[in-house]
Amino acid sequence: MATSVECCSTQLIDGDGSFNVTGIEQLIKEVKLNECGLSYAVVSIMGPQSSGKSTLLNHLFHTNFREMDAFKGRSQTTKGIWMAKCNGIEPCTLVMDLEGTDGRERGEDDTAFEKQSALFALAVSDIVLINMWCHDIGREQAANKPLLKTVFQVMMRLFCPRKTTLMFVIRDKTRTPLENLEPVLREDIQKIWDSVPKPDAHKETPLSEFFHVEVVALSSYEEKEELFKEQVSILRQRFFHSIAPGGLAGDRRGVVPASGFSFSAQEIWKVIKENKDLDLPAHKVMVATVRCEEIANEKYNSFTECESWCQLEEASRSDLVSGFGKKLNSLLHTSLTKYDSEATFFDEGVRSSKRKQLEEKLLQLAQPAHQAILGHLRSGTLEKFKEAFEKALNGGEKFSVAARNCTESYMALFDEGYQDAFVELANWDSSKVREKLRRDIDAHVASVQAAKLAELTSSYEVRVKEALYGPVESLFDGANNETWLSIRNLLRCETESAVRGLSSALSGFDLDENARGKMITGLEDYAKGVIETKAREEAGRVVVRMKDRFSNLFAYDADSIPRVWTGKEDIRFITKTARAECLKLLSVMATIRLDDTADNIEKILFTALLDPSSSAAATKSNKAGDPLASSTWDQIPPSRTMITPVQCKTLWRQFMTETEYSEANRRSNNWLPPPWAIVALLILGFNEFMTVLRNPLYLGLIFVGYLVIKAAWVQLDIPGQFRYGILAGLLSISTKLIPTIMNILRKLSEPAPVATTGANNPPRHLTAATKALENGSTRSSTASSGNKTEYSGHNKEQ
């Protein structure tokens, strides 16, 4: 299996039938067959042993096959099949020198290798030279007949034989003209073709369907060497461009691309050695499948190792890559173009299938990078949208307008970015990424809108609360028959104002009528809730308010001037009037009256609590008993009730107990003694009075004592301490008396300031005492000017 590097030849198959894989790969590499595509030809020669086949090939194609040495005798020279490149012939042509037939070395019965090599030559060759002696033409048992039978018999084992050119080379031509020899030879060939058993599909198939027959004659090499060489030189010219239309193999078919020739030859020989029928079309597909898959894997591996792809993939993981689509598309196109260039001559169906698989693998490899780019594009677009949206809102743009404009603008920006990342070769759908971005944008808009609406609602709720809390408290402080009417008017006015403001603010939001109505209704309900909450809060302090109102009405007249008790006042009438006002306050605080519905709670309370005689008579005549012995008011739902009838009765009893002291105190509090006592004091105390007048020191001490006592009276608020009962007043005074006196004495003992005391700056001890006296004479009053009249009117109604 030695290889001749100089002439580019190698033994393809040895005498034992072993295929020389290394040899053919080396030969193909040296002659650069893989670069030829379909532009190459294969020529083989067969014929009897020692018929000058190798000599003919060496002269015809300038090869150096081993030739027989005539001086050593006629014996087998070529063993197996040899292959070499034809020198100086275009396109690239490979020639195979087959072992001679009918050799004594293999014996008469060992024809297996002859048939195998003949079938191999027919399967891989475009042109088959059949070397034969001129004197054998016309003989029935000459050497050419068994050879032709062998050729035609093995031809039937090809499922769909390729169109092969059979060139019969007549050696040692005699004087008989070729024109006379050729018809005889063709007739013999036809007879052999007709006599060979054929499959049903080819019984009527003419010889020309499978073979293109050519006949040439050459003179004897030994006797007429120069003429032989001249004829061979002429014949050599026919092998130039032999595969072109009109050439020796111009109508060939089923050609295997050059890059698959080695693998094809190996597989064909393997099938022939296993004595199987050779299905050339299936073999062609098989060769194309293997080679195209090898090419595809090679291009895939080259793509994965490509530095440009590695850099692009690495960059796509961290950030958006400008021009990603064009860069990736260029890399994919380059890889597929290289595949097409190398696989272009293989079976179209197989080539296209493997190309599609390669394309799918490449796209599958590249898709994660593309998805990463789309992810960066989506997140970047979303962040830019958030910034622009916030900026638009801060700039005073309406919410719905800002949301719509920013959404349209940044969805268009995403589309623009996607076009930059678009890969033409891939049919990737970006709709899901786009929909995800749209959902994210809508979700952000919705969250911002919810926050803005919550903030807006909260601000108006605060406004409503501030607008209602103070006035409602003031109205309850001076509660009368018009209190709830005033509260309703206040509620309606403030609610309408807030609703107008809220509606105007909501016009900038893209809200449907249902959502808008819910928000407005919620604000209205909140305003009512503020009123109800404040009302219940004030109802919890109703007793304190009643006592404050009673004290103010008892201590001040209708003109809010402090009463001067001379002993002539009708204390009973004043007390009843004050209690009537307090009871009216209780009736106002009993229920929530936000709807304009009349009730008789005030009448029930006046009847049951302020006029016991009429209440007792009513109780006797009414079988139902005490009207306040109930936990609900008539026709008043529990949700509107703040103080139940039973609670009203309990609170009134507590109020009466805690205000009895004031009335008793005023009845017994006559600061001036009787006239006879005053006369007695003047007569009996005349001497003491004169002593005081004669000694001014006593007068100063008395004056200072008076100031101290008056200051202590004011600071301790002696009348106020007994407002809630005698025991409570005594306990309170006992705990505050000593600290108050010590404080007064400390202030009196403090030295006067250094600054000169003018007319407008009295001494410090006098100023402190005077301020204490002034504090005791200042009080607030909320009594109405018509207390006495209203009470009189109420008594008349009863």
Side-chain angles (χ1 to χ4, degrees), residues 132-160:
M132 59 188 305
W133 300 112
C134 180
H135 53 74
D136 285 337
I137 298 175
R139 294 180 182 181
E140 186 65 26
Q141 299 299 325
N144 63 324
K145 295 291 182 73
L147 178 60
L148 290 176
K149 285 184 179 180
T150 299
V151 171
F152 292 151
Q153 284 174 358
V154 298
M155 196 68 192
M156 293 300 101
R157 295 180 59 185
L158 301 179
F159 177 79
C160 183

Side-chain angles (χ1 to χ4, degrees), residues 261-278:
F261 176 78
S262 174
F263 177 77
S264 175
Q266 295 175 46
E267 291 299 318
I268 289 176
W269 183 249
K270 181 181 177 181
V271 172
I272 292 174
K273 285 285 290 182
E274 293 173 356
N275 198 27
K276 297 179 180 179
D277 290 340
L278 182 59

Side-chain angles (χ1 to χ4, degrees), residues 48 52 81 139 141 200 237 290 307 375 379 503 577 599 608 635 712 784:
I81 302 174
R139 294 180 182 181
Q141 299 299 325
D200 293 340
Q237 298 302 318
V290 174
E307 183 178 356
S379 59
S503 299
T577 302
D599 58 63
Q635 298 181 350
S784 62

Side-chain angles (χ1 to χ4, degrees), residues 81-108:
I81 302 174
W82 285 75
M83 176 178 282
K85 179 182 182 295
C86 300
N87 290 325
I89 293 180
E90 293 295 336
C92 180
T93 302
L94 301 177
V95 61
M96 294 190 300
D97 187 9
L98 275 64
E99 180 180 317
T101 61
D102 197 20
R104 67 179 178 84
E105 285 79 8
R106 289 192 180 272
E108 182 179 353

Side-chain angles (χ1 to χ4, degrees), residues 24 92 124 132 215 253 269 278 300 351 434 477 479 533 543 559 568 579 586 593 618 628 646 656 665 684 711 753 765:
I24 191 173
C92 180
V124 301
M132 59 188 305
V215 180
R253 56 176 179 257
W269 183 249
L278 182 59
Y300 179 80
R351 183 179 73 244
R434 194 179 193 279
D477 191 40
T533 301
V543 174
D559 298 326
K568 298 179 180 180
R579 286 177 177 172
L586 181 62
R593 299 178 179 89
L628 298 182
V646 174
M656 291 293 291
N665 184 49
L684 296 177
H765 62 279

Side-chain angles (χ1 to χ4, degrees), residues 628-677:
L628 298 182
S630 174
S631 60
T632 59
W633 296 104
D634 188 22
Q635 298 181 350
I636 303 296
S639 60
R640 288 171 48 197
T641 300
M642 294 190 292
I643 305 175
T644 63
V646 174
Q647 291 173 338
C648 286
K649 189 173 183 179
T650 303
L651 293 173
W652 183 257
R653 186 181 300 114
Q654 177 184 350
F655 168 74
M656 291 293 291
T657 302
E658 294 178 359
T659 57
E660 284 179 351
Y661 167 76
S662 297
E663 180 183 359
N665 184 49
R666 290 302 180 188
R667 290 180 180 275
S668 59
N669 190 12
N670 190 355
W671 296 98
L672 296 177
W676 61 269

Side-chain angles (χ1 to χ4, degrees), residues 535-716:
R536 293 184 185 278
E537 178 184 335
E538 295 298 325
R541 300 189 296 127
V542 64
V543 174
V544 176
R545 286 194 173 278
M546 290 169 63
K547 290 190 293 184
D548 289 342
R549 174 170 288 194
F550 179 82
S551 298
N552 289 331
L553 293 176
F554 197 78
Y556 297 87
D557 59 15
D559 298 326
S560 299
I561 299 175
R563 297 182 186 274
V564 179
W565 300 97
T566 61
K568 298 179 180 180
E569 290 81 4
D570 189 352
I571 296 179
R572 180 180 297 277
F573 176 79
I574 295 174
T575 301
K576 283 188 176 182
T577 302
R579 286 177 177 172
E581 290 298 321
C582 294
L583 191 58
K584 184 177 294 184
L585 173 62
L586 181 62
S587 68
V588 170
M589 303 296 294
T591 65
I592 297 173
R593 299 178 179 89
L594 291 180
D595 54 349
D596 192 9
T597 303
D599 58 63
N600 58 351
I601 294 177
E602 183 178 355
K603 183 177 180 181
I604 293 174
L605 290 178
F606 270 89
T607 302
L609 300 177
L610 199 60
D611 194 354
S613 59
S614 61
S615 176
T619 302
K620 291 180 180 179
S621 61
N622 187 6
K623 297 181 180 181
D626 187 359
L628 298 182
S630 174
S631 60
T632 59
W633 296 104
D634 188 22
Q635 298 181 350
I636 303 296
S639 60
R640 288 171 48 197
T641 300
M642 294 190 292
I643 305 175
T644 63
V646 174
Q647 291 173 338
C648 286
K649 189 173 183 179
T650 303
L651 293 173
W652 183 257
R653 186 181 300 114
Q654 177 184 350
F655 168 74
M656 291 293 291
T657 302
E658 294 178 359
T659 57
E660 284 179 351
Y661 167 76
S662 297
E663 180 183 359
N665 184 49
R666 290 302 180 188
R667 290 180 180 275
S668 59
N669 190 12
N670 190 355
W671 296 98
L672 296 177
W676 61 269
I678 295 175
V679 174
L681 286 173
L682 291 176
I683 296 173
L684 296 177
F686 179 76
N687 294 331
E688 288 77 4
F689 180 72
M690 293 304 294
T691 302
V692 171
L693 291 177
R694 292 191 186 98
N695 192 349
L697 180 61
Y698 289 153
L699 185 62
L701 291 175
I702 293 173
F703 180 71
V704 172
Y706 169 76
L707 292 178
V708 172
I709 293 173
K710 184 63 176 180
W713 182 278
V714 172
Q715 289 192 16
L716 290 174

